[in-house]
Amino acid sequence: MNNLVIVGGGISGLSAGILAQEQGYKTLILEKNQMVGGECTGWNRQGYHIDNCIHWLVGCNKENPLHQLWSELGVLTADVDLYYEPAFYTLQAEGRTLTFARDLEKSRAELLSVAPEDAREINAFFDSVRQLECIQPPCETSVAHMNVFQFLKMAMGMRGGSRAYQTYGSLTIAELVERFNNPLIRRMMGAFFPKDFLAITLLTSYAFYSSGSAGIPQGGSVGMVRRMLERYQSLGGSVECNADVTAAKVDARRLCGVQLKDARTITGEAFVWAADPYQLFYKILSETYLDRNLRTMYEHPEGYVANTGYQAAFGVLGEDDLHLPKGSVVFSCEPYTVAGESKDLCGIRLYDYDKTLFPADKRVIQCNVLLNNSSFAYWSSLSKTTYEEEKRALAETLRQRIESRFPAVRGRLVLLNTYSPLTFARWCRAYQGAYMSFNALKGYKPLYVKSTVPGLRNLFLASQWVQTGGGLPLAAASGKFAVQELMKRCPPPTASGRHR
């Protein structure tokens, strides 16, 4: 019998599997889909590759504590090349171009030349981004399980960013915009994230770029997952795909087994739930097992919003240089509507940086229209026919906006795929179709969820949903946190594992 069963083969599940195998556990990962990876995935269409996940991976610089975890998981090894985009993002509006480049001083000078009247706020912004370069997602110990000394140690390690948090920590993006007078600078500050997001999200994201922490590993999302799977299997771990968990058996404060869609029951001495936790607590177990912080976030959607959106991917015909901007670009355009929301900006990203995925004649442009989780109800209300028509009509609208802004691609864009919140709900049963966990809005504090499950001694959580912010680093770290708690309650059967 496997002494540890892991439900979910995404980044959290693979991380938990690798680290548990290192400690001497015999593990089995159950994955509902035909392949592991969860939302960190990609797929091929018409000879082109669509990378669904990695926009940037935090922890690519060796000085970052996350780098050690990524290395142990097989993601960042000596033979893996890294690509560093030249900028966090570029804005094209009002006939001008502004860039949040990796070089902070270059961008500072650019914005000052455009808006000398905003010099004080521009300098404060860039000074704060520099200060926030010390901020790192926790990867040693879960904040939810820290004692006061561990918390103080973490806080001291990031004290360089305290002034920036004092200045921007309670501001929304909309309020940040109001600090500037120049219309183009205002547009720049408000173009990337929704207006109700906290401004600190923009500054810390930019700081990941300027610090050299944010890069893209060779092979993209599928390459990252492949290396993790190889690492896991090399340690003796097992995977069963097309293994959809639909029920669970609880006895005497212990989870005894999980039942699959094909009616089989998989037993184990301990379990890690590394799939979306909403499914676990609202469909399989009971709300009585919910961590109170996770319950708070589910019950207050007005303050804790999940990241979701509509996306369209286009193949670029031909291999000649079309002089398209590199990386993420946001440009002003004729207004359009998505799920009832009016938009006058279009965001695109050119995928051409990895020749193993995007050779010169198979470049891809992706559009990602950010939406909040309330849009899930809109997409769910559509009939199947209307849903498909809506997705394609919106893709055509975006294609027209792209061709209008970049005439060189006119007639050379091939629609490859469209996907919505329903796509993520179907693929991963993601809560509200989200691809990242909750963001805490103004007036709502960040919350941290324990890796243990109240009332069940042998069930543990590993998921990006255990903390506001989410993303790949937290998904990987949550696997580590789950194994740390597992070892306390359910020690490995032998002492042969390498303890961390």
Side-chain angles (χ1 to χ4, degrees):
M1 180 175 70
N2 297 287
N3 50 43
L4 178 62
V5 176
I6 301 168
V7 180
I11 299 303
S12 298
L14 288 168
S15 171
I18 291 168
L19 300 176
Q21 284 290 145
E22 287 184 336
Q23 297 299 336
Y25 293 91
K26 182 181 179 184
T27 70
L28 169 66
I29 292 177
L30 302 175
E31 168 55 47
K32 71 176 281 287
N33 293 313
Q34 67 267 30
M35 54 191 284
V36 297
E39 292 185 355
C40 186
T41 190
W43 49 85
N44 298 322
R45 294 290 186 275
Q46 302 180 47
Y48 295 83
H49 182 74
I50 301 170
D51 192 318
N52 174 67
C53 184
I54 298 180
H55 289 95
W56 66 81
L57 184 69
V58 176
C60 286
N61 53 338
K62 293 184 179 180
E63 298 76 21
N64 191 307
L66 266 171
H67 191 279
Q68 180 179 349
L69 178 60
W70 289 131
S71 298
E72 186 170 3
L73 297 177
V75 174
L76 299 181
T77 56
D79 59 341
V80 175
D81 293 331
L82 292 168
Y83 172 71
Y84 291 93
E85 289 185 309
F88 173 38
Y89 80 90
T90 298
L91 173 72
Q92 296 186 354
E94 301 176 21
R96 300 290 299 270
T97 298
L98 289 180
T99 299
F100 279 155
R102 284 186 177 272
D103 184 341
L104 287 183
E105 298 313 312
K106 178 181 177 181
S107 288
R108 185 200 301 260
E110 181 181 50
L111 269 64
L112 287 172
S113 69
V114 169
E117 69 273 23
D118 285 321
R120 179 177 177 178
E121 290 297 336
I122 290 172
N123 283 321
F125 177 87
F126 283 96
D127 288 347
S128 294
V129 173
R130 182 69 73 193
Q131 293 162 14
L132 289 166
E133 291 179 349
C134 67
I135 301 298
Q136 308 295 344
C139 62
E140 291 300 322
T141 304
S142 167
V143 178
H145 291 277
M146 283 183 181
N147 59 41
V148 63
F149 300 106
Q150 291 170 320
F151 187 84
L152 288 174
K153 180 181 178 181
M154 180 187 73
M156 288 297 292
M158 296 186 287
R159 64 186 181 277
S162 60
R163 181 177 296 179
Y165 268 92
Q166 291 172 6
T167 304
Y168 298 100
S170 62
L171 289 181
T172 65
I173 293 290
E175 291 168 338
L176 172 66
V177 168
E178 289 301 316
R179 290 187 164 217
F180 299 88
N181 296 301
N182 184 277
L184 188 59
I185 305 298
R186 290 165 64 92
R187 195 74 150 160
M188 183 72 176
M189 295 295 169
F192 199 79
F193 289 115
K195 297 295 192 293
D196 58 353
F197 274 34
L198 291 177
I200 203 72
T201 306
L202 173 66
L203 277 80
T204 52
S205 297
Y206 189 9
F208 290 143
Y209 267 74
S210 63
S211 67
S213 179
I216 305 175
Q218 185 180 28
S221 300
V222 293
M224 174 176 172
V225 170
R226 183 184 67 251
R227 292 191 293 274
M228 291 184 73
L229 178 60
E230 290 172 351
R231 172 67 176 152
Y232 173 64
Q233 291 178 326
S234 74
L235 293 168
S238 300
V239 177
E240 183 175 340
C241 291
N242 298 308
D244 190 3
V245 173
T246 57
K249 182 180 179 182
V250 175
D251 182 44
R253 293 174 58 85
R254 297 181 68 84
L255 182 61
C256 303
V258 292
Q259 184 174 316
L260 304 185
K261 190 175 182 179
D262 62 12
R264 287 183 297 137
T265 296
I266 306 296
T267 59
E269 297 173 16
F271 296 80
V272 171
W273 186 272
D276 192 287
Y278 189 88
Q279 179 77 8
L280 174 65
F281 296 113
Y282 288 92
K283 304 293 183 181
I284 291 179
L285 288 177
S286 164
E287 296 176 43
T288 59
Y289 296 107
L290 258 175
D291 177 281
R292 65 179 182 179
N293 283 348
L294 188 55
R295 179 188 295 275
T296 296
M297 291 188 281
Y298 284 137
E299 293 182 350
H300 293 278
E302 75 283 0
Y304 297 96
V305 298
N307 294 318
T308 186
Y310 167 90
Q311 299 182 60
F314 301 91
V316 181
L317 296 173
E319 55 184 277
D320 48 310
D321 189 355
L322 300 176
H323 304 288
L324 298 175
K326 300 291 185 181
S328 296
V329 181
V330 180
F331 60 90
S332 58
C333 64
E334 181 182 347
Y336 60 99
T337 301
V338 185
E341 294 184 38
S342 179
K343 306 285 185 179
D344 63 356
L345 291 170
C346 183
I348 67 167
R349 192 172 193 200
L350 175 65
Y351 287 76
D352 69 343
Y353 50 81
D354 188 333
K355 301 308 178 186
T356 66
L357 297 175
F358 314 106
D361 63 338
K362 295 298 179 184
R363 295 165 293 177
V364 173
I365 290 176
Q366 290 191 39
C367 296
N368 183 13
V369 183
L370 281 179
L371 302 169
N372 63 42
N373 53 338
S374 63
S375 70
F376 185 74
Y378 171 83
W379 293 103
S380 299
S381 70
L382 303 177
S383 68
K384 183 176 180 180
T385 300
T386 305
Y387 171 69
E388 294 297 335
E389 291 174 349
E390 181 91 352
K391 286 198 303 174
R392 286 195 166 271
L394 184 51
E396 175 60 19
T397 295
L398 294 174
R399 183 189 64 77
Q400 292 173 2
R401 302 305 187 272
I402 297 169
E403 291 183 347
S404 176
R405 181 63 192 86
F406 304 106
V409 303
R410 186 166 289 135
R412 302 181 65 167
L413 297 182
V414 178
L415 179 61
L416 304 176
N417 206 195
T418 60
Y419 35 120
S420 77
L422 296 190
T423 308
F424 294 102
R426 182 174 59 253
W427 181 251
C428 295
R429 295 203 177 96
Y431 171 71
Q432 297 291 293
Y435 58 81
M436 283 185 67
S437 68
F438 297 109
N439 265 309
L441 301 185
K442 185 173 183 176
Y444 294 82
K445 63 181 182 180
L447 294 177
Y448 305 91
V449 179
K450 289 188 175 182
S451 306
T452 51
V453 175
L456 293 173
R457 287 196 52 80
N458 67 333
L459 176 60
F460 306 88
L461 286 183
S463 168
Q464 64 165 328
W465 294 89
V466 300
Q467 181 179 322
T468 49
L472 291 171
L474 183 56
S478 73
K480 177 178 178 178
F481 302 155
V483 172
Q484 287 174 342
E485 297 306 311
L486 166 72
M487 292 180 65
K488 295 175 186 177
R489 292 190 176 185
C490 310
T494 69
S496 61
R498 178 173 61 82
H499 290 269
R500 298 166 59 76

